């Protein structure tokens, strides 16, 4: 496959949930995809041809490995910040937050995406690539017990659009809406979330955003239904 013309993407957290659904959709659309995840056993679910780099996005050595994998492809058309954490579960009121819990959420949801983007800017610039950060309605709404996660997503939104302003690259913060994922189930322990849509039904909306390439900004997936 000619890596000089084939579109390429790096998706963090691509072995489960929306990350897996988007990785699968892009691979089916002819993209070359690099993704990662903390559990190597989940790589078996990835489509053929997807390059998997095991590790934790908060680890600097792992981020360096992701950059090396993207560099091997020769270009980077799309960087998707999907890897995310709720923090400690059951989720607790903000006043009960711990230093360790806040640091975990910040390092995964905000710090790692900012630092990884900085490392990948040369490749993104060459390809006039785009950045897609997976956000949440918790970034703009105030739900009980969602404080650390919501604040981190608000920070990710801000960082994503600041990067667009500073670099001239196209960047989107996208709220995918509620989904039937393991992380969403963790947020609603013991509750039935079978009424939420599967992430495979949301990935096509993200593909439409990627193909339409709207101006940098905050969007919801349903805006591109």
């Amino acid at each position: 496959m000619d890596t000089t013309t084939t579109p390429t993407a790096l998706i963090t957290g691509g072995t489960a949930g929306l990350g897996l659904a988007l990785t699968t959709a892009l691979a089916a659309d002819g993209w070359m995809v690099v993704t990662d995840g903390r559990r190597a056993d989940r790589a078996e679910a990835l489509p053929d041809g997807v390059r998997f780099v095991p590790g934790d996005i908060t680890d600097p050595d792992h981020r360096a490995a992701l950059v090396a994998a993207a560099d091997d492809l020769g270009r980077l058309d799309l960087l998707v910040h999907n890897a995310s954490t709720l923090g400690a579960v059951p989720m607790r009121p903000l006043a009960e937050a711990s230093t360790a819990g806040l640091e975990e959420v910040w390092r995964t949801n905000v710090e790692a995406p900012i630092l990884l983007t900085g490392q990948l800017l040369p490749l993104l610039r060459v390809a006039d690539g785009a950045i897609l950060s997976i956000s949440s309605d918790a970034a703009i709404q105030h739900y009980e017990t969602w404080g650390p996660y919501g604040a981190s997503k608000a920070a990710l939104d801000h960082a994503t659009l600041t990067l667009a302003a500073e670099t001239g690259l196209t960047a989107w913060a996208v709220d995918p809406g509620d989904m039937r994922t393991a992380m969403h189930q963790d947020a609603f322990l013991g509750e039935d979330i079978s009424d939420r849509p599967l992430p495979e039904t949301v990935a096509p909306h993200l593909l439409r955003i990627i193909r339409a390439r709207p101006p940098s900004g905050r969007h919801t997936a349903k805006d591109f239904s």
Side-chain angles (χ1 to χ4, degrees), residues 75-192:
R75 60 183 291 157
L76 186 61
D77 298 273
L78 177 67
L79 171 60
V80 181
H81 295 303
N82 170 73
S84 186
T85 182
L86 293 171
V89 292
M91 296 159 68
R92 304 296 301 166
L94 191 56
E96 299 177 17
S98 68
T99 298
L102 291 171
E103 287 180 348
E104 177 193 359
V105 172
W106 174 266
R107 292 182 65 213
T108 303
N109 297 0
V110 185
E111 179 183 282
I114 291 173
L115 295 178
L116 183 61
T117 302
Q119 291 175 281
L120 289 168
L121 273 179
L123 283 174
L124 288 165
R125 289 183 188 277
V126 167
D128 189 25
I131 302 165
L132 193 166
S133 295
I134 302 300
S135 185
S136 168
D137 63 338
I140 57 174
Q141 300 293 334
H142 307 289
Y143 302 121
E144 294 181 8
T145 75
W146 286 77
Y149 177 83
S152 74
K153 288 300 184 178
L156 180 61
D157 287 3
H158 187 88
T160 299
L161 301 186
T162 298
L163 283 163
E166 291 175 343
T167 65
L169 294 172
T170 300
W172 314 293
V174 179
D175 171 13
D178 290 348
M179 291 175 290
R180 200 186 317 167
T181 64
M183 190 171 81
H184 201 75
Q185 184 66 78
D186 285 344
F188 296 93
L189 291 172
E191 297 185 30
D192 181 7

Side-chain angles (χ1 to χ4, degrees), residues 171-224:
W172 314 293
V174 179
D175 171 13
D178 290 348
M179 291 175 290
R180 200 186 317 167
T181 64
M183 190 171 81
H184 201 75
Q185 184 66 78
D186 285 344
F188 296 93
L189 291 172
E191 297 185 30
D192 181 7
I193 63 166
S194 61
D195 60 327
R196 276 70 159 181
L198 290 168
E200 290 79 7
T201 68
V202 177
H205 303 309
L206 300 184
L207 280 182
R208 292 186 188 103
I209 293 173
I210 294 164
R211 291 168 180 160
R213 203 178 172 98
S216 297
R218 191 178 194 282
H219 305 281
T220 63
K222 66 181 180 180
D223 291 337
F224 293 82

